[in-house]
Amino acid sequence: MLLDQERCYRAVASRDARFDGHFITAVRTTGIYCRPSCPATTPKRGNVEFLPTAGAAQQRGYRACRRCLPDAVPGSPDWNIRADLAARAMRLIADGVVERAGVAGLAAALGYSERQLGRVLTAELGAGPLALARAHRAHTARLLIETTPLGMADIAFAAGFASVRQFNDTVREVYGVPPTTLRTEAGRKRGSVPAVAGTLVLRLPYRPPFDAEGLLGFFRARSLDGVEQLDDRGYRRTLRLPHGPATAAMELDTGSAHITATHITATHITATLRLADPRDLGPAVARLRWLLDLDADPVAVDELLGADPALAPRVAAVPGIRLPGTVDGAETALRAVLGQQVSVAAARTAGSRLAAALGDRLPPELAQDGPDLLFPTPTTIAERGREVLRGPARRIDTVVGLCVAIASGDLVLDAGRDPADLRADLVALPGVGPWTAGYLAMRLLGDPDELLATDLAVRRGAAALGLPSDVDGLTARSENWKPWRSYAATHLWRTA
């Protein structure tokens, strides 16, 4: 990934928070790497180099700044825009694939050899898969150290380290102090509020503006009884994670965050996690960020879409619109198929009925008066779906056939998929059409450039704004909206 060194230095000199997460500033004289907006004295131009990832900085021997915490920033929006090997690999690394399956498992999931994968990632991101995964483990370890009362040995293995010694050495190298010092410093910042066993309260950063109201409205209209729960400011739901179940409660402030030309404030969401297994912290955080599209660059999106006279009033009225994502690809795919050719309300009823009949109940210590039902697995639906599903036989066949494909491994639904390949695999299944394939590419992969021009609500929204409402005319007009046509489609949905 080539970085414009002079542009990067100008961003650092102005402490421009809009660039946090886009690149890393590494200072040769101190051996420290920072986010671009670090409040420390700006280093001389000749003393810094700019790197694409924290893994690249760590591989060169730099340690993280404990003042600006460069790992506590939104992720790079490049992983949303790009669908190449490096971007897909970064998504899977964030989901903990290397910790669970090793570099060999990561390479197999992406369809490349380990050697070729390492060569591409080193050229693109400045570090190979092991170094990138090590940076991810260090970040997970810091979160566990600072937000839980777990012992250091438990944290070491929960974060994915092979030994306590490796954990201690990595934390010292990355943060410059032993793990116990990080915990002591975090305790002073919290004051008298202790970390609570089994509960993690995290700050999930984003780039403002942030359309929380739009996300809450989307989830509220589609929420499943027992699986999800919403109120005016928050969204709770159950999670199926690699090592066990969990619940997440997210506080979404519907007041807009403040943004000026170079400085941004009010830029995080508070998330409370209850995990059955602490090893799932990293995947849980990655999936919640994906669900809320927290790594998006809303300023870039709004500037491009706002240049269209017909869309400009809408963009001005709803700045920072986001793409609703997913925490579980299989669940979202099944709910999308259940919703084919029926209303949103009917799809919600069908999904709630299916979850109540075949879902699994959480233990009380995880639910704690919140949602307590896990959406059923594809395997369960494949075996018992016909007993509880209602409606046309063809739709039931489609749902069960989709579950059989997922359960058998013939259809893989994860963030590492190539969008074109995913669409092709989906439309090859009986009863799954191009609209569903495009919708799932948008939600599962965060594809930012899916217009869904055949969608009735998209076309109605276009007509309401004075845009062409026929498929060909709307598609032609949307050429000016690339690569953000998914966000334009979301504006049109909201308008309709």
Side-chain angles (χ1 to χ4, degrees):
M1 183 186 295
L2 296 177
L3 296 172
D4 184 330
Q5 301 288 305
E6 292 307 316
R7 186 180 182 214
C8 289
Y9 188 73
R10 288 197 299 271
V12 170
S14 62
R15 296 185 175 87
D16 193 337
R18 291 174 297 178
F19 289 88
D20 287 353
H22 286 261
F23 64 88
I24 292 294
T25 305
V27 185
R28 298 186 181 97
T29 50
T30 62
I32 291 174
Y33 69 89
C34 304
R35 62 170 79 185
S37 66
C38 182
T41 302
T42 303
K44 294 180 179 179
R45 175 65 186 88
N47 293 338
V48 297
E49 61 176 320
F50 302 105
L51 303 169
T53 62
Q58 292 171 21
Q59 187 160 280
R60 285 164 172 76
Y62 294 101
R63 59 182 176 84
C65 174
R66 299 211 311 280
R67 184 174 181 182
C68 73
L69 295 177
D71 57 357
V73 297
S76 171
D78 288 334
W79 314 144
N80 296 352
I81 302 170
R82 297 167 51 173
D84 59 10
L85 175 60
R88 291 159 52 209
M90 284 298 287
R91 297 175 193 170
L92 292 181
I93 289 171
D95 198 51
V97 169
V98 174
E99 282 72 30
R100 297 193 297 273
V103 175
L106 175 65
L110 295 166
Y112 287 79
S113 69
E114 292 183 57
R115 182 178 180 182
Q116 187 175 11
L117 175 63
R119 185 168 62 247
V120 169
L121 292 184
T122 300
E124 287 280 328
L125 306 176
L130 278 177
L132 294 168
R134 178 178 180 267
H136 180 258
R137 282 196 295 272
H139 175 49
T140 301
R142 183 182 67 78
L143 289 177
L144 289 169
I145 291 167
E146 294 181 348
T147 62
T148 76
L150 286 174
M152 294 303 171
D154 293 331
I155 289 174
F157 295 112
F161 290 97
S163 67
V164 175
R165 181 177 179 178
Q166 185 188 66
F167 159 73
N168 285 324
D169 290 345
T170 298
V171 170
R172 284 178 179 273
E173 290 174 14
V174 173
Y175 298 108
V177 294
T180 51
T181 300
L182 286 181
R183 174 162 284 176
T184 300
E185 292 177 348
R188 285 200 297 265
K189 293 175 184 177
R190 281 198 308 268
S192 61
V193 180
V196 179
T199 300
L200 293 83
V201 180
L202 308 175
R203 290 156 54 107
L204 305 181
Y206 62 81
R207 299 177 182 89
F210 181 72
D211 178 31
E213 183 178 351
L215 284 173
L216 286 174
F218 183 92
F219 295 134
R220 183 179 292 110
R222 294 159 179 80
S223 63
L224 302 186
D225 297 338
V227 177
E228 299 163 286
Q229 187 179 93
L230 291 102
D231 55 35
D232 290 341
R233 295 186 65 239
Y235 173 48
R236 304 181 189 180
R237 67 153 296 141
T238 59
L239 306 171
R240 282 190 187 275
L241 297 173
H243 299 100
T247 60
M250 292 152 282
E251 297 178 15
L252 279 70
D253 186 356
T254 54
S256 60
H258 175 65
I259 180 170
T260 66
T262 58
H263 293 91
I264 303 171
T265 59
T267 58
H268 71 272
I269 284 168
T270 301
T272 301
L273 290 172
R274 293 188 178 92
L275 306 173
D277 192 316
R279 290 178 295 174
D280 284 326
L281 173 60
V285 170
R287 295 180 191 192
L288 293 181
R289 298 193 62 79
W290 198 253
L291 176 71
L292 303 177
D293 196 17
L294 297 184
D295 293 331
D297 185 347
V299 174
V301 174
D302 289 353
E303 283 180 353
L304 181 66
L305 298 184
D308 188 304
L311 281 177
R314 181 70 195 174
V315 173
V318 187
I321 202 164
R322 302 298 168 120
L323 300 181
T326 180
V327 292
D328 189 310
E331 176 190 320
T332 301
L334 290 165
R335 292 172 64 169
V337 170
L338 282 173
Q340 289 185 138
Q341 299 179 337
V342 300
S343 67
V344 171
R348 177 184 179 181
T349 299
S352 295
R353 184 184 297 120
L354 181 64
L358 300 180
D360 301 315
R361 293 289 172 183
L362 289 177
E365 62 270 18
L366 288 181
Q368 294 193 9
D369 299 325
D372 65 347
L373 184 62
L374 291 167
F375 192 82
T377 65
T379 301
T380 300
I381 299 173
E383 295 173 350
R384 300 182 53 200
R386 294 186 188 279
E387 301 172 13
V388 299
L389 289 169
R390 301 290 182 267
R394 288 186 63 183
R395 186 164 72 229
I396 295 174
D397 289 342
T398 299
V399 172
V400 174
L402 175 65
C403 290
V404 169
I406 298 171
S408 66
D410 292 338
L411 176 64
V412 176
L413 299 174
D414 62 36
R417 292 299 309 271
D418 176 81
D421 290 346
L422 176 65
R423 287 182 176 88
D425 287 350
L426 287 167
V427 298
L429 296 172
V432 179
W435 179 91
T436 302
Y439 175 78
L440 290 176
M442 182 189 292
R443 293 202 60 192
L444 270 62
L445 305 181
D447 185 347
D449 203 33
E450 173 59 64
L451 180 62
L452 294 177
T454 62
D455 184 271
L456 181 59
V458 168
R459 292 163 58 200
R460 284 177 175 168
L465 295 178
L467 291 162
S469 58
D470 62 290
V471 173
D472 291 340
L474 184 57
T475 301
R477 180 66 170 264
S478 73
E479 288 294 311
N480 297 323
W481 304 338
K482 290 182 176 180
W484 308 119
R485 292 189 293 181
S486 296
Y487 294 89
T490 307
H491 274 296
L492 298 179
W493 268 333
R494 293 276 299 278
T495 301

